[in-house]
Amino acid sequence: MEQTLQQLVNGLSLGSIYALIALGYTMVYGIINLINFAHGDIYMLGAYIGFAVTTFLHVGFIPAIIISMVSCAAIGIIVEKVAYKPIRNSTRIAALITAIAVSLFLEYGTMYFVKAETRTFPQELASKNIKLFNGGVVLNTTDIYILAITIVLMIALQYIIHKTKMGKAMRAVSMDKEAAQYMGISIDQTISFTFALGSALAGVAGVLVGVYYNSINPLMGVLPGLKAFVAAVIGGIGIIPGAVLGGYFLGMTETIVSANGGSLYKDAVAFAVLIIILLVRPNGLLGKNVKEKV
């Protein structure tokens, strides 16, 4: 029982990070049907921005998160304007190739400036173990911070999407882009806001990973980015609650596999789960079958 609870704690922390990254994938796909493979590298840039401001500017943990959010939001808007907007009406394969190119550009551009070595993230949070059930379950204060910040951001995101004017515009563009435009909604502004929002969440995830694992490198966004995409597909890509569910589901799965001696195979298991979900429910756990006229 204690081991199960311990893996639940570990899975919640890892799942929170996957969920934050997956939200960016699912929001962009829901708006313009684009799989933004560069999103994992925005998360990497968020980690480096957090590293830079804590190391050189000596700011605290919360200011580092805010600076990383704002910076990554700006980077997301620039990427959308420069790389994706010119090909918005092109074929999907052109958009996919562009996304891969942007991803490689961000990875190796960052590597050019900061070099390839792994950096140690500053210890900005006091790490303290809290023992529960007579020491059978260890809860680290870092896990509490990660879970609390994720919950606050999820609530804020739901408020933005369902209660604000821009959130309503996002939902309208997602349902019918042309009809939304006829109603006076700015498509360009809405898409830019979506990229900014998703990139800001990825920036937070980058800082949280730096604090959690204490190390960052220019290629750190590749595998977590792919796994976050897997999480979005598992939950139902384009569906925000699905991205959250998929993130936590994948985080739990990985921790359970690692706890049972399969740490070397946890990545393979994550993609195997994706294949099984797609075979059983092609639209994801929360996705619905949508009939299209041909």
Side-chain angles (χ1 to χ4, degrees), residues 96-260:
L96 180 63
I97 292 172
T98 301
I100 295 172
V102 172
S103 174
L104 292 172
F105 173 79
L106 292 177
E107 288 168 13
Y108 290 95
T110 302
M111 191 178 296
Y112 175 80
F113 288 104
V114 302
K115 308 307 176 185
E117 63 264 17
T118 298
R119 302 294 181 93
T120 301
F121 205 91
Q123 284 280 2
E124 289 300 317
L125 289 178
S127 182
K128 182 181 178 181
N129 291 331
I130 301 172
K131 294 183 179 180
L132 305 174
F133 301 102
N134 295 323
V137 178
V138 178
L139 182 62
N140 194 282
T141 51
T142 304
D143 297 317
I144 298 174
Y145 279 115
I146 290 175
L147 187 58
I149 290 171
T150 302
I151 291 173
V152 169
L153 290 175
M154 300 294 181
I155 294 172
L157 179 63
Q158 288 298 310
Y159 177 82
I160 290 171
I161 291 175
H162 294 284
K163 299 296 182 181
T164 66
K165 184 177 179 180
M166 186 56 73
K168 293 177 182 178
M170 289 172 61
R171 288 186 285 135
V173 173
S174 177
M175 292 178 185
D176 194 321
K177 189 183 298 182
E178 291 184 359
Q181 193 169 18
Y182 291 144
M183 295 301 292
I185 295 173
S186 172
I187 302 299
D188 290 339
Q189 186 178 1
T190 304
I191 292 173
S192 294
F193 181 80
T194 303
F195 269 86
L197 194 58
S199 299
L201 294 176
V204 176
V207 177
L208 294 180
V209 163
V211 171
Y212 192 69
Y213 291 109
N214 294 325
S215 64
I216 58 174
N217 65 81
L219 299 181
M220 63 179 284
V222 177
L223 195 54
L226 285 174
K227 288 182 180 179
F229 171 67
V230 169
V233 174
I234 287 174
I237 193 158
I239 303 171
I240 288 177
V244 177
L245 174 64
Y248 283 112
F249 178 83
L250 193 60
M252 294 290 183
T253 301
E254 282 198 16
T255 53
I256 290 172
V257 171
S258 298
N260 288 279

